[in-house]
Amino acid sequence: MTATEPTGATPPATGEPIAADRPQPAPGATPPRAPLVSRAAAEFIGTAALVAVVVGSGIQATELTDDVALQLLANSTATVFGLGVLIALLGPVSGAHFNPAVTVAEWWTARRGGPGVTVRELAVYLPSQVLGGIAGAILADAMFGEPLVKWSTHDRSAGQLLLAEVVATAGLIMLIFGLARTDRLRFAPVAVASYIGAAYWFTSSTSFANPAVTVGRAFTDTFAGIAPGSVPAFIGMQFVGAAVGLALVAVVFRHGAHGRPPAARPDAAS
């Protein structure tokens, strides 16, 4: 998403604003100032760290208990805390997308006249996220002494799992873009992490909701893995969910915060 939040402070008489007076990017925003190489690095590192948290906590959980419910609880709890920290840390640099579905949705809003990433940024963000997802899975396997690359055998092709991915991704997109429409992106670290934690439990697929994470998890035959044959359908349903989420945003958030149209808010395109 793309937004900045003005501090309301008055610049000095020289006309040169001090750092504290400049509009600060909201967590989850895509700031225009950071060089593209820095944003690409942030997306790579953030997605890698996210997948390392998901895969690593899954491995740790299965080593500590045979109770599947406790395994999922440990996995989801680690993901909530890890994702929240990553959004808070890297949001001011790249927008903390870590997710091709979010990036494509933001590009689409820009194409339709709203704020968002450009085609050039889209072309840089997507491979950074996918490569980060793969690197994160390999790193997690390395930390736990697992084979660095071993294709998952965890089949996730059932129809109800695909429906769950549509629901999970639609909810995520509606949350992120709804926060942006209502000038509440500052709550993104808590809100997005909380949503993903809840979606682990209320969706049958345990809420991948992220094409880059889905690709990365195919590289590990552990608790969090997904068989390569299940990946294309999962990713397809995630992008369907992204489209549904954007449609819901258009219907529900027709006006910005307090009834103002989005154009009236201090948004800045990246």
Side-chain angles (χ1 to χ4, degrees), residues 162-186:
L162 300 179
L163 173 61
E165 282 301 291
V166 174
V167 172
T169 310
L172 177 63
I173 295 298
M174 185 177 180
L175 171 62
I176 294 172
F177 285 74
L179 289 174
R181 286 284 186 99
T182 55
D183 291 330
R184 289 176 171 84
L185 273 173
R186 61 189 177 278

Side-chain angles (χ1 to χ4, degrees), residues 241-269:
V244 171
L246 285 179
L248 291 174
V249 170
V251 171
V252 176
F253 301 100
R254 295 182 65 85
H255 297 287
H258 310 299
R260 291 175 296 159
R265 300 194 309 274
D267 293 344

Side-chain angles (χ1 to χ4, degrees), residues 36 75 77 92 103 121 144 160 205 208 211 220 229 234 244 256 261:
L36 186 55
N75 192 212
T77 301
T103 302
E121 291 163 334
F144 286 91
Q160 68 268 22
S205 64
F208 285 48
T220 178
F234 252 55
V244 171

Side-chain angles (χ1 to χ4, degrees), residues 176-268:
I176 294 172
F177 285 74
L179 289 174
R181 286 284 186 99
T182 55
D183 291 330
R184 289 176 171 84
L185 273 173
R186 61 189 177 278
F187 299 121
V190 172
V192 174
S194 298
Y195 173 79
I196 292 299
Y200 257 88
W201 290 90
F202 77 74
T203 64
S204 58
S205 64
T206 66
S207 182
F208 285 48
N210 185 327
V213 169
T214 303
V215 171
R217 289 169 66 165
F219 282 72
T220 178
D221 192 20
T222 58
F223 179 79
I226 177 173
S230 301
V231 168
F234 252 55
I235 292 177
M237 292 302 100
Q238 288 159 359
F239 280 112
V240 169
V244 171
L246 285 179
L248 291 174
V249 170
V251 171
V252 176
F253 301 100
R254 295 182 65 85
H255 297 287
H258 310 299
R260 291 175 296 159
R265 300 194 309 274
D267 293 344

